[in-house]
Amino acid sequence: MMNLDDKTIRKYLITRLASLPNKPKAIIEELRVHNGNAIADVVAVHKYAHCYEIKGDTDAVRRILVQRRFYDLAFRRITLVTTSRHLNNALHLAPEHWGIMVASESRGGVAIRYVRHASRNPLYDTRVALMTLWKSELLQVALPILPQKLDKLNRAELTDLLAVSLGPGSLCEKIGDRLADRSSYAENLLTI
């Protein structure tokens, strides 16, 4: 019998995400959000960043009570990936807009199926989402639309300026683009 821990589920989740017909631009592991107050296990970047939080057999699903305060502000969509052992707790504890997936052993591997699809997060805050970006990435977003001298501003000031200058939809896409670029850059470094 296979141990359905975070590491095992993560491997199969990433494989599943990478094989979707509409492949993500990037798949990022261990993304720090809300100035490091939380770390998203897996983030798939399509037009926007979709967070996947993994809770294996030995994990405590109740930890999402703390994590969701940060994820709900930083991501347009969130999905909890867990096991059948934790499904009842997941259904009870995860907000209605969170998706829920269940991982189970299947033919020597792991099958992951949806119990509930994620819906648009009503608590999403572009300012918090922008804080997932590094200052250099914020400057890349800002420079084409805000020609004034920006390099003297700190991350919080850049975030505030961008949040009032661009609409949430546009910012969501620009955040996704920067995260995808970061992921591509990191992959290129690994191949050198």
Side-chain angles (χ1 to χ4, degrees), residues 31-148:
L31 179 67
R32 292 183 181 282
V33 296
H34 207 273
N35 283 323
N37 287 314
I39 300 173
D41 289 328
V42 175
V43 175
V45 180
H46 293 274
K47 269 184 140 175
Y48 53 84
H50 184 145
C51 171
Y52 291 85
E53 178 59 25
I54 301 167
K55 297 296 183 207
D57 275 334
T58 59
D59 293 326
V61 172
R62 70 182 170 278
R63 286 193 57 228
I64 68 167
L65 295 174
V66 172
Q67 292 167 312
R68 75 182 188 192
R69 293 189 320 223
F70 305 114
Y71 296 158
D72 277 343
L73 296 173
F75 297 105
R76 263 267 170 83
R77 294 193 194 272
I78 304 115
T79 297
L80 174 63
V81 184
T82 190
T83 64
S84 57
R85 170 184 279 174
H86 296 304
L87 180 57
N88 286 337
N89 278 343
L91 289 167
H92 178 70
L93 296 174
E96 288 295 315
H97 59 273
W98 280 37
I100 298 175
M101 298 176 90
V102 173
S104 57
E105 192 172 348
S106 175
R107 297 184 187 143
V110 175
I112 301 173
R113 67 176 173 82
Y114 272 100
V115 173
R116 176 172 81 201
H117 287 274
S119 59
R120 184 174 244 180
N121 174 3
L123 304 171
Y124 176 74
D125 182 333
T126 53
R127 281 183 170 87
V128 175
L130 280 162
M131 292 299 280
T132 60
L133 299 180
W134 300 329
K135 183 175 180 181
S136 60
E137 294 166 331
L138 289 168
L139 286 168
Q140 288 175 338
V141 172
L143 287 174
I145 55 163
L146 303 167
Q148 66 260 34

Side-chain angles (χ1 to χ4, degrees), residues 16-27 44-48:
R16 179 187 169 132
L17 293 170
S19 68
L20 290 172
N22 181 18
K23 290 184 190 340
K25 293 187 271 188
I27 299 171
V45 180
H46 293 274
K47 269 184 140 175
Y48 53 84

